[in-house]
Amino acid sequence: MPQVTWKGVITFGLVSVPVQLYAATEEHSGPALHQVHAKDGSRIRLKRFCEVEEKEVPYSEIAKAYESPDGRQVVLDDEDLAELPLPSKKVVDVLAFVPAESIDPLMFSKAYYVATADKAPAKPYVLLRDALRESGQIAVTKVTMRTRESLAVLRVHEDTLVLQTCLWPDEVRSAQGMAPDEKVTVRPQELKMARSLMDTLSEDFDLSALHDEYQLALQEVIDAKLAGVEAPHLEEQAEGGEAEVIDLMAVLRSSVKAAKGEHGRGAKGGRAAAGSEADAEATGAGASGGDGAAKPARKAAAGRSGTAAKKTAKATTPAKKATAKKSAARKAS
């Protein structure tokens, strides 16, 4: 069981729910690295050094301070920060209930599981959880954790309430100017092919099977260096020059074909047949010049089929003759 991160009360209207929060996520740090002097590998240590006394000070003697524009400084200790006059200090104050899709996921930050506090009644918790679930809404709240007041939402995950802290609206930067400026026309054939690629890539997708490959690659390099062998490395890729004009339909068609090949290795015959029909449909939906490119491909395929048939016929003819001679010899005897 993880440690309790925060204790307080959820309030909506006159209903109060004593709760405590637990971290709902954890980040994998991977192999622990520390700083060294690149020249000789000696360890680099960071020290808390007092400029006035010219000596290192313990962490317990360190406080926070603010320096005003005119150079004056105010020192704030833990007691000052603990006694800030905030109404949301020990309260998850529900401000409103809104549709879940009304909050852009871009605003989401850290998630916490909400559990009932010790000896607290369960009914107010269950009431809030079930009301959120049936309405399809989330609760917009404010809460102060540590030294910061945060916007947050209450939502339901399985049978548990989750408090998800959020960025304030003015902390989300504008996306203006990020999208391409030029006017681009996407043809229906291209959009249809893109959707086909999306559907193919989504077959049998298992999010739980994904993992952090950076950690594995870093561990491989560390193990190789410890063993005194050459560390594995990624093959260098050619640097991109000017953006080249590409045949988008050709790229999409090749992508769909490659994706279907990956999924088709372990697929049943029915799914393989469906994939062939989709390929045929996709080929027919090609861009200008697509039919011209498809005809040589069909001719080449037909040529390969004819050649293979001739080779098979040649290979089976001597076998048939030999079988006939053996049969004639048995009849004569």
Side-chain angles (χ1 to χ4, degrees), residues 87-300:
S88 59
K89 179 181 175 184
K90 285 293 182 182
V91 177
V92 178
D93 186 16
V94 176
L95 306 176
F97 295 90
V98 300
E101 61 272 13
S102 65
I103 304 293
D104 193 323
L106 189 64
M107 297 180 64
F108 289 158
S109 184
K110 191 171 180 60
Y112 298 89
Y113 288 132
V114 180
T116 53
D118 297 335
K119 300 180 181 179
K123 189 169 184 178
Y125 182 102
V126 175
L127 173 65
L128 177 58
R129 181 196 66 193
D130 292 352
L132 289 174
R133 176 183 288 154
E134 290 186 10
S135 67
Q137 294 181 313
I138 58 178
V140 180
T141 73
K142 288 202 302 182
V143 60
T144 298
M145 300 176 63
R146 299 185 179 90
T147 60
R148 178 178 179 180
E149 184 181 52
S150 297
L151 187 67
V153 297
L154 276 171
R155 58 186 180 85
V156 180
H157 172 70
E158 297 178 353
D159 287 330
T160 305
L161 287 174
V162 171
L163 181 77
Q164 186 113 33
T165 58
C166 302
L167 300 174
W168 295 99
D170 59 358
E171 291 181 312
V172 179
R173 294 177 176 175
S174 171
Q176 186 176 1
M178 300 295 176
D181 292 332
E182 65 271 14
K183 294 182 178 179
V184 178
T185 301
V186 177
R187 293 177 295 168
Q189 299 96 324
E190 294 170 335
L191 186 58
K192 184 176 182 181
M193 186 68 72
R195 291 296 303 271
S196 177
L197 176 59
M198 292 165 60
D199 293 341
T200 304
L201 292 176
S202 301
E203 290 180 7
D204 305 322
F205 175 71
D206 182 8
L207 182 63
S208 63
L210 301 181
H211 58 273
D212 186 353
E213 295 187 11
Y214 177 86
Q215 290 188 38
L216 299 178
L218 178 59
Q219 190 63 56
E220 288 181 2
V221 172
I222 292 174
D223 293 341
K225 287 185 173 290
L226 289 174
V229 298
E230 182 180 358
H233 59 276
L234 187 68
E235 294 183 3
E236 294 185 2
Q237 300 179 355
E239 295 184 1
E242 295 182 358
E244 55 181 316
V245 178
I246 60 173
D247 185 343
L248 186 57
M249 280 300 296
V251 173
L252 286 170
R253 191 179 294 113
S254 299
S255 299
V256 172
K257 185 176 180 181
K260 286 184 180 295
E262 289 292 330
H263 288 287
R265 288 194 178 99
K268 296 181 180 179
R271 287 175 59 186
S276 299
E277 293 175 2
D279 281 339
E281 180 182 354
T283 303
S288 60
D291 291 340
K295 289 180 180 179
R298 288 196 291 269
K299 289 181 179 180

Side-chain angles (χ1 to χ4, degrees), residues 303-318:
R304 288 195 296 270
S305 300
T307 303
K310 290 180 181 179
K311 289 183 179 179
T312 303
K314 290 181 179 179
T316 54
T317 299

